[in-house]
Amino acid sequence: MPETGRWKDEPLDVAAGDNDRLRAQATELLKRFERAEEDEPWTPANITGRWSRLEREIQQQGRRKPSGEIWALSAACAGVAALGIVLVWSHQSASRLPPTARLTQSPPIARALVPSAPSPNPADVDVEPWTTWPRTDLGPNGTLWSKPGSVMRLPDSPTERSTEPREGYVMQLDQGSLCAEVASRALGSEGPFRVKTRQLDVTVIGTHFCVEAGPDLSSVSVQRGRVRVAREGVSVVLRAGESIRSDAPPLRAALPPPQRAWRDRPAPGNPVGAQDDAPEPLGSLSLENELYQRALQEARRENHPQAAGLLADYLKRFPNGLYAPEAGSELATELGLAGHPSAALAAARERLRSFPRDPHDGDVKLLMAGLLRENLGRTADALAVYEDLLNASAGPEWRAEALFGKGICEERLGDGAVARELWRRYQAEYPAGRHAAEVERLLGE
Amino acid sequence: MNALLAARGPDVPAAAGPIELEWFGAFYKQHANFVRRLVRRLDGQKSDSDDLVQEVFLVAHRKWPQLAGSPQVDPRSWLYGVAVRVLRHERRRRKLRAFLFFPSFGGERSPEERSREPRDEHSPATLLERHEARATVHRLLDSLSENKRTVFVLFEIEGLSGQQIAGILRVPIQTVWNRLFHARKAFLKVLAREQLRERRETGEE
């Protein structure tokens, strides 16, 4: 479909026919709308006042983070260790590296990738962060930084697809290093974003990650989001802060026994679960995509019982699947929307138990607190969840909700003084927060 | 150095590290009205739209290294992407809050809030006409799904190209055209229904 003209740029001649008349009216309406929108800008004084409030909020957020010196030191250490990788792999064959492969948890990418090589003397090395590598814009697929000298092949166009169905956007990395920022992938026809090395097949959804490839060894590390790393039909899911080498034990595990094919299963419209007890092998990403996408479609149509059933089915079949954390959160939400608060609470608890370090835990805890507070009448239990969020140094968006919600709980439990103190803290920390007007009203009562 | 930013506003710090607040303040003042207008177009005239503008800039401040490290990216295009994603996240939260009956669920602006807007020198008739146009368009947009509304606003009202929209939304360009087609169809359908209702109310039918 070629570029089309905008309605508001069209002349106002009314042509024959209802459709043309309607289009002309829409055109006129949009022109008037555009003029109306220009009528009420913020004044400079208004903008300056708002900037002051935003500046305070940024500074408050900055105080809760490590200092600039610590970030600089961490970045320098990561850069030094990254150079160590280059020195080790350019002077040794990969097979001589000690078999220390394991799933690591340390956040800095470089430490996770260097097995046991001694750290180079920082004074002797020249740090080269990946952000200085040549950058390639992959269009809607994301952005790529590749180390000079890397041997890789990209699809010829941003929309080129593999000949195999649902293979998605596939890159090949034969030698060298790359880091990529990939947006959350729309599922269905687009398929996943993948990087293949000689040993590994990396499947990505919405994340920032790096891949190193050598003739006999590859490794992957994840800074943000999740990737699935597969080798010879066996796969693991890496989360933020995790990394793995191609000779790591999980990737050497034997294939699980074959399960019943998707097409032989009963239709997944039944309320809960598949027939088999054992989870499906993680080899069939297209099946996961399909089931999860169907669940999301039902959720968008606000068919909450159906969506909940599909999500429960997904979790039963793929308990460690690529979308399992999201599916767990969505299931709790859909059960709540379908009018089953107790089941929603149980689903939320299970989601937290299964994925304790997921970056979206705060959302799930807020959902639990809300269910307890508003639907189940368990104010004291809701208070405990809000306290847990505040004690765990939650991110600002959760902390704000937790402060406000805890105040509501304290008031209902009869401790008005504590409630007011919490709301005053909310006002001080989040002067432009979502509940600012409500807090002002509550404090004024 | 981001040449586009330097040409359009304050000098951009060359390194993709933490930015000076003073610089970001100038950036905020330059683009605040643009983001406000964009948020209201994408989200409607809800009571918390000013909060969302702040949220967009908070996220922009956090994601600043993306812009500083991409010399060819126009800051407004980048802000479009930030705003679209902030709103997407906000809609999900509203859904959650509506279900949990949180008190501050966003709604239409109150008459007090509207009265705080600055007055201008146009005639009352013009102001009324424009106010009605704005209310009508927002009502029609509210009837569209998030995906259709976003594409419709970015193309028909913001005037972005299909390629730009595809880049902001990170979808293929064909998806943009499909959504626009359906958005236009839905917009006209609701417009026709409104006009029919008005004619019935005024006794024309």
Side-chain angles (χ1 to χ4, degrees), chain B residues 10-117:
Chain B
D11 284 343
V12 175
I19 61 169
E20 294 295 333
L21 265 187
E22 191 180 334
W23 184 90
F24 192 74
F27 181 79
Y28 174 88
K29 287 169 187 167
Q30 184 184 5
H31 296 291
N33 268 321
F34 159 69
V35 171
R36 176 182 183 239
R37 193 192 70 214
L38 176 63
V39 163
R40 290 171 73 171
R41 286 176 175 180
L42 288 173
D43 196 44
Q45 293 174 280
K46 306 254 182 344
S47 60
D48 58 355
S49 62
D50 291 352
D51 292 340
L52 285 173
V53 173
Q54 300 292 75
E55 182 71 23
V56 168
F57 280 102
L58 271 174
V59 172
H61 181 263
R62 279 202 301 270
K63 291 187 177 290
W64 164 250
Q66 276 179 14
L67 183 60
S70 310
Q72 68 274 30
V73 173
D74 173 56
R76 285 223 166 167
S77 296
W78 181 72
L79 280 173
Y80 274 120
V82 173
V84 163
R85 280 184 274 286
V86 165
L87 280 167
R88 190 175 296 160
H89 195 51
E90 171 63 15
R91 282 191 198 100
R92 197 178 181 285
R93 286 170 177 274
R94 279 196 197 129
K95 184 176 162 183
L96 218 56
R97 285 202 293 267
F99 155 61
L100 296 172
F101 307 107
F102 283 173
S104 296
F105 178 62
E108 294 298 321
R109 291 186 303 162
S110 65
E112 291 76 24
E113 285 170 306
R114 282 201 292 270
S115 71
R116 284 203 291 269
E117 301 287 354

Side-chain angles (χ1 to χ4, degrees), chain A residues 5-6 8 25 40 135, chain B residues 36 72 155 160 184 195:
Chain A
R6 288 173 190 77
K8 70 180 170 77
Q25 285 166 352
E40 300 171 353
R135 181 177 169 274
Chain B
R36 176 182 183 239
Q72 68 274 30
F155 186 80
L160 301 183
R184 282 172 158 180
Q195 289 178 342

Side-chain angles (χ1 to χ4, degrees), chain A residues 219-243:
Chain A
S219 58
V220 181
S221 65
V222 179
Q223 289 72 51
R224 194 168 58 246
R226 299 197 315 282
V227 304
R228 193 171 78 162
V229 181
R231 181 178 190 174
E232 296 165 358
V234 180
S235 61
V236 294
V237 173
L238 299 187
R239 296 185 169 83
E242 294 178 348
S243 61

